[in-house]
Amino acid sequence: MALLTLSDVTVRFGARADARTALDAVDLRIAEHEIVCVLGPSGSGKSTLLRVVAGLQHPDGGRVLLDGADQSGVPAHRRGVGLMFQDHQLFPQRDVAGNVAFGLRMRGTARDERAARVTELLDLVGLPGAGPRAVAALSGGEQQRVALARALAPSPRLLMLDEPLGQLDRGLRERLVVELRGLFGRLGTTVLAVTHDQGEAFALADRVVVMRDGRVAQTGTPLEVWQRPASAFVARFLGFDNVVPATVSGGAADTVWGPVPVPDGSPQGERTLLVRPAGVRLGDPAEGLRCTVGARTFRSGRVAVLLRPAGPGEAPLLEAECGLRDAPAEGQAVGVTFTAAEVVVLPAQEGQDTVRGAPVVAKELS
Ligand code: ADP
Ligand code: MG
């Protein structure tokens, strides 16, 4: 049985005329010991989702079950879930130990037991002996660890984290996310985290749930979502820019960049095509799609190269990926061919229309 089940959960804010649907019939199941990360842009409903599970937000429809038990009549403090808020919300007037002990004190845990648990947790999060320190004197990363220790102290059956590493700088974030994953694995904690940062989600999670406008856009392991984004929205959200309308026929797609080979068994007809940068091969300018090399961006040992297709058309820029030594110089002319294995055929985009064979992408409805 799932530890957490959300079925058909809907939350609306505001009066009927200008109501906003923050969560729209969301279904989600989390197994015990699983680490699930909800990933979505700002405003997609992530915090609302956590608040509904925590019992801080009443859903307008649907049910939340913990261990199979309906939570509709259960107040927040009886649900046995821990929520670490986006901005930590540490108590500035209490020292570190006082913050970590907060949930235990609320439950009436005896003083000795509380002190022992605080020591244990501060060791666990890498802040041994920090109990008497003032929280205001801690760095951002240290505050983050205190907030985590505080959330873990009452041993919640489900730990929920709202943008857990959002405010930290990149280097620290990358280190902490690896530490967190190790820690949760050792403790066997069931975790539901939410973030707008794909790197964080993919590094932390066993399973990723991508959200858009209060709906689940895709669920899968990090590898599945990364390799096979379910839609143009997910692909773009993951940072892929080579996404264009296409007409697929047999083993090739007709696109603004000319014919692009697609994997065997790809769906046919009007679609959207994702070409991963690794599938954009640069060669002799006489072959394939003629392009001029534009900007180059260096990314830890690889080079992202932006290519401007030649000709009077409106073909969008193409992003390619090269090794440091193979990267062509800015302004150089190249011929582009494509590798089918790095091409993904996605459903036609909403609002995509075809006028006399020319694909027209309607503006996204906001
Ligand atoms: P996220 O955490 O993904 O950024 P939220 O869950 O905070 O998204 O918000 C989802 C949507 O619901 C947004 O449009 C937001 O403006 C709206 N919303 C959230 N909380 C409230 C509230 N208390 N009152 C009115 N609208 C809200
Ligand atoms: Mg939020």
Side-chain angles (χ1 to χ4, degrees):
M1 196 206 313
L3 176 67
L4 172 69
T5 305
L6 273 75
S7 66
D8 218 18
V9 169
T10 297
V11 172
R12 287 184 210 93
F13 290 112
R16 195 177 295 172
D18 58 354
R20 282 195 67 98
T21 305
L23 293 179
D24 192 356
V26 170
D27 290 322
L28 179 64
R29 293 163 71 86
I30 300 183
E32 197 155 10
H33 307 305
E34 200 179 15
I35 303 177
V36 171
C37 204
V38 173
L39 174 66
S42 171
S44 56
K46 305 182 297 296
S47 294
T48 303
L49 180 73
L50 296 193
R51 292 172 54 81
V52 167
V53 176
L56 302 172
Q57 171 70 50
H58 186 74
D60 294 292
R63 298 196 308 161
V64 175
L65 310 182
L66 279 165
D67 268 334
D70 193 321
Q71 299 295 300
S72 42
V74 183
H77 65 278
R78 292 268 165 72
R79 293 194 177 189
V81 301
L83 172 56
M84 190 174 110
F85 292 96
Q86 195 159 352
D87 48 3
H88 316 172
Q89 299 190 358
L90 295 177
F91 308 114
Q93 74 283 15
R94 295 185 198 276
D95 62 12
V96 168
N99 271 277
V100 176
F102 176 75
L104 302 170
R105 223 172 23 243
M106 289 292 106
R107 277 185 173 187
T109 307
R111 178 184 282 266
D112 290 357
E113 196 185 321
R114 230 158 58 199
R117 181 88 177 127
V118 168
T119 304
E120 184 189 357
L121 278 155
L122 288 178
D123 286 350
L124 194 67
V125 299
L127 289 174
R133 293 178 67 186
V135 293
L138 302 176
S139 71
E142 289 169 332
Q143 291 189 10
Q144 197 72 57
R145 288 162 193 264
V146 174
L148 181 65
R150 183 176 66 178
L152 282 169
S155 306
R157 54 182 165 170
L158 173 68
L159 176 65
M160 298 193 290
L161 309 169
D162 197 344
E163 307 269 0
L165 307 174
Q167 296 174 340
L168 306 177
D169 60 51
R170 188 181 191 79
L172 184 57
R173 229 167 47 203
E174 285 175 359
R175 255 183 299 135
L176 266 182
V177 79
V178 174
E179 276 184 40
L180 280 184
R181 184 164 166 85
L183 178 65
F184 297 148
R186 287 199 304 282
L187 295 174
T189 320
T190 307
V191 178
L192 172 57
V194 307
T195 176
H196 67 280
D197 184 284
Q198 341 123 2
E200 204 170 301
F202 285 93
L204 189 61
D206 299 322
R207 199 150 56 88
V208 173
V209 177
V210 184
M211 287 203 34
R212 176 191 197 180
D213 295 339
R215 294 190 193 172
V216 175
Q218 186 171 10
T219 303
T221 64
L223 195 65
E224 284 164 358
V225 175
W226 196 255
Q227 288 190 324
R228 297 206 56 83
S231 63
F233 166 79
V234 175
R236 287 191 185 281
F237 187 61
L238 296 182
F240 291 116
D241 290 324
N242 297 338
V243 179
V244 287
T247 307
V248 182
S249 169
D254 183 26
T255 76
V256 273
W257 296 316
V260 176
V262 298
D264 288 343
S266 288
Q268 304 284 301
E270 297 303 312
R271 304 284 163 176
T272 303
L273 217 60
L274 159 65
V275 184
R276 289 200 201 82
V280 179
R281 270 199 318 250
L282 309 185
D284 190 283
E287 275 168 51
L289 173 69
R290 198 182 152 92
C291 292
T292 311
V293 175
R296 304 185 304 172
T297 316
F298 292 81
R299 289 182 191 152
S300 50
R302 308 287 295 167
V303 186
V305 181
L306 271 185
L307 304 164
R308 196 175 314 106
E314 298 279 279
L317 299 180
L318 250 177
E319 188 181 322
E321 189 188 274
C322 311
L324 277 177
R325 271 179 222 89
D326 327 318
E330 224 175 293
Q332 194 177 320
V334 293
V336 167
T337 51
F338 302 95
T339 312
E342 299 293 341
V343 172
V344 184
V345 177
L346 307 170
Q349 238 168 316
E350 296 156 47
Q352 182 173 318
D353 205 356
T354 310
V355 179
R356 279 181 282 114
V360 175
V361 180
K363 260 211 204 141
E364 286 217 327
L365 303 169
S366 55

